[in-house]
Amino acid sequence: MLTANELALLEAIRDSGSLSRAAVKLGRAPSSVSHAARQLEERFDALLFDRRRYRLQLTPAGQLLADEAARLMLDVSRLTQRVKQVASGWEDRLHIVSDEILEFELISPLIHAFDRLNSGVSLRLTHEVLGGTWEALREGRADLIVGATNEPQSMPNLQWAELGAMEWLFAVSPRHPLAKLKPPLRQDQIQQHRAVVVADTSRTSAARGYGRVGGQAVLAVPSMRAKILAQRDGLGVGWLPRHRVASLLARGELVEKATETPREPNLLYLAWRGGHEGRALQWWREQLRQPTMAAALMRGIDVG
């Protein structure tokens, strides 16, 4: 590892092209700089400076040493900063996993606000669906999960809070056969037609899908937006978040149908593991639980 003075020497000679100008740049006598250059070559037992030309240059070995030393110095500087960051209570990194039902656009303003704290914390935001969201927290792939559905699952040191309730409606394309039937729709009528579901990303437990009738054919799609568009296009039927399809309903591109068995609103949760909460996790928890933010997450973004 080079010292800061040795790295400065290499950079000064590379930039100035002469020992005398390097000496001026470093504020040292030319003889001192020349002696330091020879000591550096002896230390590495390699020719680091090409003295044959009018302009003093680094040899390929000297260039390699300068580049790698600069990289190492930067790594050390970053490591020093990260150590200070963690010592002051900030995490090194924070992994937030949201259920896919929540749109990234709604969380984006919080990232801007968090950046303004200059905490140095590296953020990673990904999404899962249904059981996959809880699974990410249980398996340590998430520090914080947002928008998880169903009741909080049993796991060590689990902490959680309710974000709010998401309302649903049963909707079909106006061209779909169910659109012509008199409501309320019976389960046996719905069962005859394919359901569109967002695919559960759980890796270890049986995949789940909301609103399916036993024995019903299924079209699994990757996102809630894809589900909405698939139902708009008549590819299947199912339950959709009310606020996200308001425009499609108003334009008649989807038709709401009452059913004999209505779907209750879904409670969505914020959850994390207690016992090692850093300042970043605390900040995100507080921001996501603000009434205006929680309400925006429940409303979502109108697909239409």
Side-chain angles (χ1 to χ4, degrees):
M1 182 67 182
L2 294 182
T3 66
N5 287 337
E6 289 171 330
L7 181 59
L9 171 66
L10 286 168
E11 292 177 343
I13 292 177
R14 179 181 59 192
D15 296 341
S16 64
S18 77
L19 285 174
S20 58
R21 286 193 292 269
V24 172
K25 184 175 182 179
L26 295 170
R28 298 167 61 181
S31 59
S32 172
V33 171
S34 179
H35 178 68
R38 287 195 300 272
Q39 282 189 318
L40 197 56
E41 288 180 318
E42 290 175 3
R43 176 180 168 190
F44 284 93
D45 191 22
L47 186 65
L48 303 177
F49 307 99
D50 188 347
R51 300 174 176 84
R52 296 173 300 174
R53 300 180 178 87
Y54 172 75
R55 178 179 173 82
L56 185 64
Q57 294 179 320
L58 295 177
T59 65
Q63 186 65 54
L64 174 65
L65 179 62
D67 291 345
E68 288 300 304
R71 181 184 63 79
L72 289 172
M73 291 290 286
L74 182 59
D75 287 345
V76 170
S77 175
R78 288 173 176 165
L79 178 59
T80 301
Q81 178 59 38
R82 288 168 62 191
V83 169
K84 292 180 179 178
Q85 170 187 320
V86 172
S88 65
W90 293 105
E91 301 90 326
D92 182 33
R93 57 181 60 85
L94 187 72
H95 187 180
I96 300 171
V97 173
S98 65
D99 192 284
E100 194 282 329
I101 202 169
L102 303 181
E103 299 92 336
F104 176 78
E105 295 94 319
L106 296 172
I107 298 177
S108 180
L110 292 184
I111 300 175
H112 285 295
F114 186 72
D115 285 345
R116 289 193 289 271
L117 299 178
N118 294 316
S119 66
V121 178
S122 296
L123 289 178
R124 183 184 180 199
L125 288 94
T126 58
H127 70 250
E128 299 282 350
V129 179
L130 296 173
T133 308
W134 286 109
E135 189 175 279
L137 184 63
R138 184 172 61 250
E139 295 183 351
R141 292 183 284 109
D143 301 302
L144 176 69
I145 59 174
V146 188
T149 55
N150 292 331
E151 292 295 322
Q153 299 185 0
S154 177
M155 63 184 77
N157 302 315
L158 177 65
Q159 306 270 334
W160 55 271
E162 293 181 4
L163 277 178
M166 181 167 285
E167 297 183 14
W168 301 84
L169 58 84
F170 192 86
V172 300
S173 165
R175 301 180 300 279
H176 194 277
L178 287 181
K180 301 178 177 62
L181 297 184
K182 183 179 179 180
L185 299 179
R186 302 189 310 271
Q187 293 290 79
D188 63 297
Q189 292 174 319
I190 295 172
Q191 185 181 24
Q192 298 173 32
H193 301 277
R194 183 168 63 182
V196 182
V197 302
V198 183
D200 192 327
T201 57
S202 175
R203 296 156 175 82
T204 59
S205 58
R208 294 179 290 121
Y210 281 123
R212 291 176 54 193
V213 180
Q216 189 177 18
V218 170
L219 170 64
V221 295
S223 67
M224 180 55 69
R225 177 178 175 80
K227 173 175 161 64
I228 293 170
L229 297 179
Q231 291 185 214
R232 180 201 65 182
D233 294 342
L235 297 176
V237 302
W239 297 90
L240 298 173
R242 177 173 293 279
H243 293 291
R244 291 190 63 179
V245 296
S247 295
L248 295 177
L249 291 169
R251 294 198 300 267
E253 295 181 46
L254 279 173
V255 177
E256 180 179 0
K257 302 292 288 188
T259 66
E260 283 188 340
T261 308
R263 177 173 171 177
E264 295 297 321
N266 263 114
L267 279 176
L268 302 188
Y269 296 90
L270 187 71
W272 63 97
R273 295 286 193 93
H276 54 278
E277 298 144 78
R279 294 169 66 182
L281 177 57
Q282 294 172 12
W283 186 92
W284 277 92
R285 282 202 332 253
E286 292 169 3
Q287 297 300 314
L288 289 164
R289 294 177 69 180
Q290 292 292 325
T292 53
M293 173 55 64
L297 292 174
M298 294 308 101
R299 287 195 305 272
I301 297 173
D302 193 333
V303 170

